[in-house]
Each structure stands twice: as C-alpha cells, then as structure tokens.
Amino acid sequence: MLTKRIIPCLDIKDGQTVKGTNFVNLRQAGDPVELGRAYSEQGADELVFLDITASHEGRKTFAELVTRIAANINIPFTVGGGINELSDVDRLLNAGADKVSINSSAIRNPELINDIAKNFGSQVCVLAVDAKQTENGWKCYLNGGRIETDKELLSWTKEAQERGAGEILFTSMNHDGVKTGYANEALAELYQQLSIPVIASGGAGKPEHFRDTFLVGKADAALAASVFHFGEIKIPELKSYLCAEGINVR
C-alpha cells in the first residue's frame, strides 16, 4: 500500500492565512511563511497554498509570497489561485512551486489541463474541485465556491484525468470547516473510477477523521487547515495515531 500523505493548506487572502466555515466567515490564522516553515519541520508531507480570492478578484497569485514560503520549506509545494494560462504556471514554478492547482480556469477552459500536462508534465497539474452535494448530486463551483456550474463531480474528475491531470484535490463545501469528517462516500466513488491520486479536503476535526478518510474514503492524501493552524491537531501526533491504526504514513 502506498503511504498516505498529510497536507496542511494555507488559504491566503490579502497576504495572510485565513480559515472559514463552508467557504465563508473567514478569520485570521497566521503568517503563511511562519506556518509553512513550522509544517515542514513538523513532518507534513506536502504544503498547499491557495490564493482563495485571486480568481474572484480577477488577478494573479502573488509570486513574491510563493517565493518566500518556498525558501522556508523542504517539502513538495502546490500553489493555486488565478492561474489562467501557461505563463502563470511558468511564473509560479519559477517562484518555487512544485505543482499548480487549477479550478475555475479549468472549468472555463478544460484545454488548460491538456496544455499544462503536455508542457510541464501531469505531475505538475492538480485539478482542484470545490463541490457541493445538492438535490441533483455533487455540483462543482467556480470562484472560491461562489458560482454553481453544470459540472458534476464524477464526470468532471474523470474528464480531467483523461485530459492529463495528475491529481484531484476534492473539497466538499458541505463539510468545509465544520469538523465532522470528510465526504467519504463521495471520495470512495472517486477512488472507484479514477486511477490518479485523490486528496480529501473539507471536514477534518479530529484524528479519527483522517483515519476514516483513508480507510473508508480510500483517499491518497488528507488536507486540512484550521485543525493544524490553531494547534488542535499536531502533525507528529497525528502520524503516530495513524500508524497505530495500521495506516501507512511517511
């Protein structure tokens, strides 16, 4: 069994780390450079940086902040927000990112997935999906969860895989920040139909939730924010717990 990854996420707004509930009610969570350094030292497997208002505000991700974070960590680093064309990918990789995460731009222009995979390799392209469970199934959203689209979770992730995405970062908007566990049923469905890794996001509140998303949801990695930012769960203790539960972590 491949080792499972633990990934802290820095949601960035106006240069500061923030965290909300169901994508709203954002509160400050600290300096992103300091948090990134701390997570790298604590044994996080990767770090994700999402400029959560870049697409909505129609601007590019702050490359200078990416460079400062990258200089302070020694783990793989994924950056997302406001990536609309290949030059954006190039700029962020040069700033120190290892992978880029695309969401709104991929829904608007699916060919972007093909272009990134062809020019930089599938391993660089992470498709982020913000989805909400509705009466009509799991619907994907644009602009940081602001706009519902006609894209459906399973069909869209399958298309993205076929176009060359190397990984799926699935955030359940229903579960985001409420700390009641991940969307494991939907994750298990993704596991059934995809051959690329799936990162679970949205819902972590206690160590058992990580265990369940690996065992029940079959996720390859678990991403969390507030439980790490506010010290509710410490990464070394989480990994020890998961090991004791028979889960293979790094």
Side-chain angles (χ1 to χ4, degrees):
M1 187 172 83
L2 286 173
T3 54
K4 304 295 190 179
R5 291 169 287 150
I6 301 297
I7 306 176
C9 179
L10 305 175
D11 290 326
I12 307 293
K13 183 177 189 285
D14 303 328
Q16 283 296 310
T17 313
V18 295
K19 188 62 198 124
T21 304
N22 304 128
F23 283 46
V24 294
N25 303 326
L26 301 178
R27 58 180 173 145
Q28 294 282 353
D31 176 67
V33 178
E34 291 304 315
L35 283 170
R37 179 191 293 137
Y39 293 141
S40 182
E41 290 170 353
Q42 286 168 23
D45 297 303
E46 297 188 19
L47 184 69
V48 169
F49 166 117
L50 299 176
D51 189 329
I52 59 171
T53 56
S55 291
H56 177 61
E57 293 169 5
R59 59 169 173 76
K60 307 295 186 189
T61 295
F62 302 118
E64 181 266 338
L65 182 55
V66 171
T67 301
R68 281 171 48 218
I69 295 170
N72 282 277
I73 64 175
N74 57 7
I75 51 178
F77 186 26
T78 300
V79 176
I83 298 167
N84 299 301
E85 53 199 13
L86 288 180
S87 60
D88 297 330
V89 181
D90 200 43
R91 183 171 54 89
L92 293 170
L93 294 177
N94 285 326
D98 299 290
K99 310 179 209 179
V100 295
S101 162
I102 54 172
N103 184 341
S104 301
S105 57
I107 289 178
R108 292 192 178 102
N109 172 26
E111 282 291 322
L112 183 61
I113 301 170
N114 304 63
D115 292 344
I116 294 172
K118 193 169 77 186
N119 285 273
F120 301 101
S122 285
Q123 80 285 349
V124 166
C125 185
V126 178
L127 180 79
V129 181
D130 296 333
K132 186 185 282 185
Q133 195 168 21
T134 70
E135 292 171 1
N136 304 313
W138 284 92
K139 293 293 184 185
C140 303
Y141 279 67
L142 286 170
N143 289 22
R146 291 175 179 83
I147 303 167
E148 184 179 327
T149 73
D150 60 358
K151 295 274 191 207
E152 189 274 329
L153 174 65
L154 295 175
S155 58
W156 173 227
T157 51
K158 200 164 192 178
E159 178 185 337
Q161 173 178 281
E162 286 162 4
R163 288 179 176 277
E167 209 162 14
I168 302 295
L169 167 54
F170 161 49
T171 301
S172 164
M173 294 171 62
N174 308 75
H175 295 73
D176 174 68
V178 296
K179 301 183 180 178
T180 53
Y182 293 92
N184 292 323
E185 279 184 33
L187 285 158
E189 285 188 59
L190 290 174
Y191 169 78
Q192 287 293 328
Q193 74 153 23
L194 300 175
S195 58
I196 56 176
V198 176
I199 304 167
S201 168
K206 53 189 183 180
E208 290 81 357
H209 295 150
F210 290 85
R211 174 197 66 196
D212 293 346
T213 204
F214 292 139
L215 296 179
V216 181
K218 307 292 187 188
D220 296 278
L223 178 145
S226 60
V227 290
F228 295 145
H229 300 339
F230 301 116
E232 294 159 43
I233 294 177
K234 299 203 164 40
I235 290 170
E237 292 164 16
L238 173 61
K239 287 193 164 187
S240 296
Y241 164 80
L242 292 170
C243 275
E245 291 289 319
I247 293 161
N248 193 5
V249 291
R250 293 180 186 180

